[in-house]
Amino acid sequence: MTAASLALHSRRFTSLLATSTSVLSRIMSTHLERTNGNSREPEVENCTVSSITDISPTVKLLQLAPERPVTFKPGQWVDFFIPRTNMVGGYSLCSDPQSPYLELAVKYSTHPPAHWVHKTCKMGEKVQVRVGGDVFLEPDSSIKVVLLIAGGIGINPLLSMIRAGVDTETKYHLLYSAATVEELIFFDDLEKLTASHDNVTVEYFVTKETVKSDNLVKMNRERISPEAVNKLVSDYKSRFDESDMRCFLCGPPPMIDFLSKEIKMKCEYEKWW
C-alpha cells in the first residue's frame, strides 16, 4: 500500500471514528443534557392525556389537554415529564399553536419516555411539559417563502409551522422523506392542507419501498438530494429576495449534517435527539 493510500485510509478512519464518537455521545447523554444551552419557559405545565392514536406502525400521536393555555411558537419542543420515572423526554410539538391541545408524535424506542408512551400510557394519565427551543417561525412572520425539509419523525415541528401559517400569504414548500409510505405520518393531513390551501406544496420521498406517483401526489423513490433542494432554492430566489425566504431542516442527524452543508441558502435546525 502506498503512502498516499495509507494517508487516505487514515483520514477516512479518523472521520468514521469522530462520527461514531459523536453518535455514541448523543445516545448516552440525556435530553436535558443535550438541550442544556437552549431557551426554556420557566413554568412546568400540568396536562392530561386526552387521546392516543396509532398513526403508523411505529408512531403514536399523543394529544394532551393542558390545565391552562400553553403558549409556544411553531418549531418548538417540550420537555416531557412522565409518571414513575425521573427520565425526561423531549418531543417537538406538531400541533397548531392556536389549538387548545398539545400534540406530540412519538416514535417507538426503548428510551423510557418513548417506551412509556407506546406500552404503558393510557387516556387520563397525568403528565407535565415545559416548552423550549430556539429554532421556530413566528406566526406573524412577513416571510414570503418557507422551505421545509423533513426526514421521518422530523416532520413534527415543520407541520406545526404549516398549520400555523396556512391562512397567511406565506408560501410553504415541504420536502418530506420516510422509509416507507406507511411511515409518511400525517400524509392525510398534509394532503387536506394542500387541497384546501394554494400556499402549501408537498413532495414526498420514499427510500425503501417502490412507489408510484399520480397526477395528484408527487411521490419520489429516492432520498432528498441537495440537487433537488437547490433546484427549488434557485427557482424561489429567481422570484423572491433571499431575505424574504427561510429554510428549516429537521430529521436524523446524518441527514441534517449532509444537507445543511450542501444547500445553497442558510438552513435553520436543531440537533438534540
Side-chain angles (χ1 to χ4, degrees):
M1 183 177 289
T2 66
S5 296
L6 284 170
L8 177 60
H9 282 288
S10 176
R11 289 196 298 270
R12 286 176 175 172
F13 177 76
T14 301
S15 176
L16 179 61
L17 181 61
T19 300
S20 300
T21 302
S22 175
V23 170
L24 182 61
S25 175
R26 188 181 294 120
I27 291 172
M28 294 180 65
S29 62
T30 68
H31 164 69
L32 294 181
E33 290 170 341
R34 292 191 296 271
T35 59
N36 182 54
N38 288 103
S39 301
R40 279 180 167 81
E41 294 298 319
E43 299 295 329
V44 173
E45 305 290 349
N46 297 317
C47 299
T48 301
V49 176
S50 54
S51 73
I52 312 169
T53 309
D54 291 313
I55 58 174
S56 92
T58 64
V59 179
K60 287 185 181 289
L61 180 65
L62 208 60
Q63 185 184 75
L64 309 178
E67 285 186 358
R68 58 182 184 175
V70 174
T71 301
F72 71 93
K73 297 180 176 67
Q76 289 191 298
W77 41 262
V78 293
D79 299 327
F80 187 54
F81 303 88
I82 61 176
R84 300 176 292 280
T85 179
N86 292 326
M87 181 73 73
V88 178
Y91 302 106
S92 295
L93 291 149
C94 58
S95 44
D96 184 340
Q98 297 302 313
S99 170
Y101 298 100
L102 304 177
E103 290 185 340
L104 311 173
V106 180
K107 189 174 180 69
Y108 176 77
S109 79
T110 57
H111 185 251
H115 192 268
W116 179 84
V117 168
H118 279 258
K119 300 298 184 180
T120 305
C121 181
K122 297 178 177 61
M123 288 179 57
E125 291 270 17
K126 303 298 182 182
V127 297
Q128 294 179 309
V129 299
R130 178 172 54 201
V131 173
D134 301 301
V135 174
F136 51 80
L137 184 65
E138 293 284 359
D140 60 349
S141 171
S142 60
I143 295 298
K144 293 184 171 59
V145 177
V146 179
L147 183 58
L148 306 166
I149 306 164
I153 200 69
I155 185 63
N156 280 328
L158 309 187
L159 178 61
S160 180
M161 293 180 186
I162 295 173
R163 285 173 163 168
V166 290
D167 293 322
T168 69
E169 295 183 0
T170 300
K171 171 67 179 180
Y172 292 86
H173 197 134
L174 169 66
L175 305 184
Y176 180 19
S177 172
T180 66
V181 173
E182 278 190 313
E183 292 299 336
L184 289 169
I185 60 172
F186 302 117
F187 177 85
D188 291 340
D189 300 74
L190 290 166
E191 287 303 290
K192 289 176 183 177
L193 287 170
T194 59
S196 58
H197 295 84
D198 292 338
N199 62 330
V200 180
T201 298
V202 182
E203 297 180 50
Y204 303 97
F205 295 75
V206 175
T207 61
K208 295 183 179 179
E209 185 177 60
T210 301
V211 295
K212 293 182 179 180
S213 292
D214 58 33
N215 293 331
L216 299 177
V217 179
K218 177 67 171 176
M219 196 76 71
N220 302 278
R221 174 59 171 91
E222 59 185 341
R223 298 183 184 278
I224 299 173
S225 67
E227 292 78 15
V229 179
N230 286 328
K231 183 177 179 181
L232 284 177
V233 170
S234 296
D235 177 55
Y236 283 120
K237 281 184 178 181
S238 70
R239 293 180 283 152
F240 301 95
D241 191 273
E242 189 169 348
S243 62
D244 290 326
M245 298 168 55
R246 299 276 291 277
C247 178
F248 294 91
L249 177 57
C250 190
M255 174 185 175
I256 293 176
D257 288 338
F258 176 61
L259 288 179
S260 63
K261 296 173 184 175
E262 301 294 330
I263 296 173
K264 295 178 180 178
M265 70 173 291
K266 178 185 176 182
C267 292
E268 300 175 62
Y269 57 87
E270 288 182 322
K271 290 193 298 182
W272 50 264
W273 58 92

